Amino acid sequence: MTAESVTVRVPAKVNVQLAVGGPRPDGFHDLANVFLAVGLYDEVTVTPAESLRITCSGPDAAQVPLDASNLAARAALALAGRYGRTADVHIHIAKDIPVAGGMAGGSADGAGALLACDALWGTGASREELLEICAELGSDVPFSLVGGAALGRGRGELLTPLETGGTFDWVFAVADGGLSTPAVYRECDRLRGDAEIPAPEASPALLDALRAGDPAALAAAVSNDLQPAAVSLRPSLEATLAAGAEAGALAAMVSGSGPTTAFLAGSPEEAEKVADALRASGTCRAVRVASGPVPGATVVG
């Protein structure tokens, strides 16, 4: 008996460390990318249909591509191709992760669609096989499947799970419009010029802070090598970062390639205080509060 539909819930991510090496011959960059999954979710529902189609609802749904470039469509096609079937499904994405915001919303949808199609079709793909397809789809997609906390090596797709000793409270300020990830990497390379770039390594102090569940220690160790490039392309982010820091955030940083900015707080109460100050600051379009780590893509219906 085939399920009528399958819904998968999949979280956003914040990079608590993003160390970026120099450009590789293939155009990518080697990374030491410490991911933390946080409790902002997209829900991806797949239903049998006559042909592959995608719909989307929620904040900024109009910005989400509804063609074969969408990672959810590519995930369905990749899994169908491996198992010799057609991807005749309707994929509906209920967005709650900021679009083009450096929080891996598109990658989350790819991982969600992959897991949902696997469950709908009963393909019985192994975890390793699903992760292999995720890595083919994009650098952040494997982490969206796994969730929790992890160190991503290579271009971010080679994951090592990390131990966390507690929950970390975050505030996210959503900027107007998106930032192109390739453009941010190009700007990073331009700003660095001919400087010698060391091989990226995870910070031992940051890994210790995660293990201890210590927000103050984590705040002292967070870093994002793409932040100067994101701010160069979007100078208005400086005002948002300053507003969050002035409101008492332990750390203020650009999330991934931006333009969403992330603020680490010492407690849920402090997170709400920072969120209120950011809303009042007029420096961002929307503010969201979430904590992590949380599990990765999960079948919920």
Side-chain angles (χ1 to χ4, degrees), residues 62-110:
Q63 295 178 35
V64 176
L66 302 180
D67 58 15
S69 70
N70 189 301
L71 280 171
R74 288 172 53 199
L77 289 164
L79 186 69
R82 281 204 177 209
Y83 283 87
R85 59 177 301 143
T86 52
D88 295 335
V89 284
H90 169 208
I91 302 172
H92 181 72
I93 302 166
K95 289 297 296 179
D96 197 35
I97 301 172
V99 176
M103 298 188 73
S107 297
D109 299 339

Side-chain angles (χ1 to χ4, degrees), residues 1-3 6 79 83 85 115-125:
M1 179 178 148
T2 307
V6 174
L79 186 69
Y83 283 87
R85 59 177 301 143
L115 189 61
C117 287
D118 175 59
L120 182 75
W121 297 334
T123 51

Side-chain angles (χ1 to χ4, degrees), residues 4-63:
E4 286 176 19
S5 73
V6 174
T7 298
V8 168
R9 189 173 79 156
V10 61
K13 62 83 180 160
V14 62
N15 306 88
V16 290
Q17 182 187 3
L18 183 48
V20 179
R24 307 191 314 200
D26 64 3
F28 288 102
H29 296 68
D30 278 322
L31 305 176
N33 194 351
V34 181
F35 296 102
L36 192 70
V38 294
L40 296 177
Y41 300 95
D42 283 359
E43 286 200 347
V44 182
T45 300
V46 297
T47 309
E50 289 182 9
S51 61
L52 176 62
R53 73 185 179 98
I54 299 181
T55 54
C56 185
S57 61
D60 300 321
Q63 295 178 35

